[in-house]
Amino acid sequence: MTSVGIDAIEIWTGNLELDLPGTFAPAKGEDPEKYTKGLGLQSSSFPDSYEDIVTMGANAAYRLMDRKGLEPVDIGRIDVATESAFDNSKPVSTYIAGCLEDVFEGDFHHANKGERKFACVAGTQSVDDAYNWIRAGRNRGRAALVIATDTALYARDDPGEATQGAGAVAMLIDEDPNIVELSTEQGYGSADETDFLKPQQQFPSVDGKRSVQVYLARMREALEDYESVAGDTHPDNFSYIPFHTPFPGMVRKAAALGYRNVIRDTDVEDTLADEIGRQPRPEAFGDDDAFLEATKEYTEALTETDHYQTWYEGTIEPTLTISRSVGNWYTGSVHVARASALQHALENDVDLAGEKLLVGSYGSGAQAEVHAETVRDGWREEIGALSIDDQLERRYSLSFAEYEAIHDAHNHDKDVETTELTTPEHEFVFDGWGRMGERKYRFVE
Ligand code: CAA
């Protein structure tokens, strides 16, 4: 069977940075530890006034194609996943293809282009679409370019403002991939939920506390569905478990729930029984509330054990490093988590080839997806080529007044004059509006 998966990856961050404990928390009159300890965030990325989902996506794709020596003729499909689209008809992928055609020889006239929407899970769905297209043998030897790009901005003073971010991830999906091969087995947890939505509006309507519960409920369903096709999972089977990361504190909760589920009836539950007892079973309780309370207590005790903490430090914590510095990138977030884990392995000289990852994606509204990935021999070279650390280092750090101005600059309902805070270099920039209201772009050398 043909091996299909992620062959290459590039990450592009917005060029601005907001220090959450240092700048945002004091301006909001909040304790900085809410950010560092509670949400698990240090800073968030923002787009400068000349950046948007097209420039960030095109810049990530440009770097990827340039580094891999690809030309448009090598790409048979361009799918963009975003929940920040500005056009209900013309997909972002056409804008990005237009940008790329300005700098590469040839064109994408025979590539299928589209835009995927299901909140943050759309990035993984686009990877799926590309995987299926290749496995169906419809790709004519060509690869697919999947770009997850978002400006995750919330209305000012919405609790979600703490978790903003902006950036793009470009992935090349191909046969015989260098980074990871995807499993055919997948699990889904999907339900009609009203937790986070943007009904014809730029900034989301969010029921934040509920969104956390919906994330956990759908992720548990997806994990159970995955196990129903792939067989029981065990924590020791996976080197890393990247989750969708709206903020690291969310993953802390998801990891505890996932771990509790997969250790049930295993040697791990037996080993921990002396210390914290066995997991509550529903049949031992008269009502749901008592069972849920007992489960909550067991989970809290579980996360205090050395056993759990060692697993968490090794398997989950490394997936969160980049996220702590960039915030939520919506569709790109789980793909940033995977890259973060692989960077950790590279820096620590871990031999990952042949090892497995379990990937948990999530989109509000709501749907979770779980699948496994097998790390391929070429992962070191690909991950070693990432420039995200340098990019993060180069970001311009915003004062609170500058943050307010840049938030206004990206607010579609406001018409404000803003000056650039950074100087674009070797990247695509927004270049004003065309006669039909289209956005125009140019490449700055
Ligand atoms: N020291 C240490 N910890 C502190 C603290 C302090 N001084 N102050 C607060 N905290 C902790 C809190 O206890 C809490 O942690 P727990 O949940 O583990 O108890 C955490 O910091 C956050 O504090 P609050 O709950 O008080 O924060 P909040 O009311 O401002 O809201 C939020 C948090 C609901 C996540 C909000 O930021 C939000 O609405 N975010 C957007 C929605 C979101 O990201 N939801 C996630 C699931 S949906 C999803 O994943 C899709 C997506 O990408 C949007």
Side-chain angles (χ1 to χ4, degrees), residues 31 33-34 37-39 120 154 159-160 162-163 196 206 208-209 211-212 215 244 246-247 250 252-253 328 330 362 364:
D31 182 350
E33 293 203 338
K34 170 181 167 182
K37 294 202 169 141
L39 297 167
C120 311
Y154 290 76
T163 64
F196 172 113
V206 194
K209 302 284 182 220
S211 73
V212 170
Y215 177 123
H244 167 58
F247 53 93
M250 181 72 240
R252 197 169 55 224
K253 295 179 204 288
N328 193 356
Y330 288 162
Y362 175 73
S364 295

Side-chain angles (χ1 to χ4, degrees), residues 130-163:
Y131 174 93
N132 294 336
W133 170 73
I134 295 172
R135 286 286 296 272
R138 301 176 112 180
N139 60 324
R140 299 185 232 158
R142 299 174 298 171
L145 195 51
V146 167
I147 301 158
T149 180
D150 272 299
T151 45
L153 298 186
Y154 290 76
R156 294 295 315 282
D157 297 327
D158 185 289
E161 200 182 1
T163 64

Side-chain angles (χ1 to χ4, degrees), residues 23-100:
T23 304
F24 190 69
K28 305 280 283 185
E30 287 177 324
D31 182 350
E33 293 203 338
K34 170 181 167 182
Y35 294 87
T36 50
K37 294 202 169 141
L39 297 167
L41 289 165
Q42 198 59 41
S43 55
S44 30
S45 284
F46 280 88
D48 205 339
S49 54
Y50 59 84
E51 294 185 282
D52 65 15
I53 51 171
V54 173
T55 64
M56 296 186 298
N59 287 324
Y62 169 67
R63 278 190 57 89
L64 186 150
M65 288 183 62
D66 190 45
R67 180 169 67 74
K68 301 287 288 182
L70 295 169
E71 293 174 0
V73 72
D74 301 316
I75 307 293
R77 189 176 173 108
I78 306 178
D79 284 313
V80 170
T82 186
E83 47 185 305
S84 322
F86 45 77
D87 193 309
N88 286 331
S89 176
K90 183 174 157 60
V92 173
S93 49
T94 59
Y95 282 100
I96 291 183
C99 288
L100 297 173

Side-chain angles (χ1 to χ4, degrees), residues 34 49 82 88 106 155 180 268 342 347 355 359 363 376 405 413 421:
K34 170 181 167 182
S49 54
T82 186
N88 286 331
V180 287
V268 182
L342 296 178
E347 283 157 13
E355 299 298 319
V359 181
R376 303 271 297 177
D413 292 334
L421 294 164

